Amino acid sequence: SDIADILDELTLPEAVVVFGCLDEERAAQTLAEVSPETSRYIIENVPREQIVRALDILPMDDAAEIVAEVGEA
């Protein structure tokens, strides 16, 4: 998505700020589409509750892929 592309272009701290402004559905979609580096940083720096809500919205395979990518770090 365009938002994921933008987040990948921002500094990681800026990406967290923008991610925090997204509604839950858009945050979930964006988390699934950003680069592994960006998703890892977001997951490590956004409140756990927000990440859990985003992962719950995503299809199971997308959520599992994100968790696996973060686990590889």
Side-chain angles (χ1 to χ4, degrees), residues 8-63:
D8 284 334
E9 294 296 320
L10 297 172
T11 67
L12 293 173
E14 290 170 336
V16 167
V17 171
V18 173
F19 183 84
C21 296
L22 302 175
D23 62 63
E24 289 181 1
E25 187 71 35
R26 192 159 288 148
Q29 178 184 6
T30 301
L31 189 60
E33 295 176 0
V34 293
S35 71
E37 177 187 16
T38 302
S39 67
R40 190 174 307 117
Y41 190 85
I42 288 170
I43 289 170
E44 292 172 353
N45 291 281
V46 168
R48 174 176 231 123
E49 302 79 29
Q50 187 176 0
I51 298 301
V52 169
R53 285 193 305 270
L55 292 175
D56 282 346
I57 291 170
L58 289 172
M60 184 65 69
D61 59 330
D62 288 345

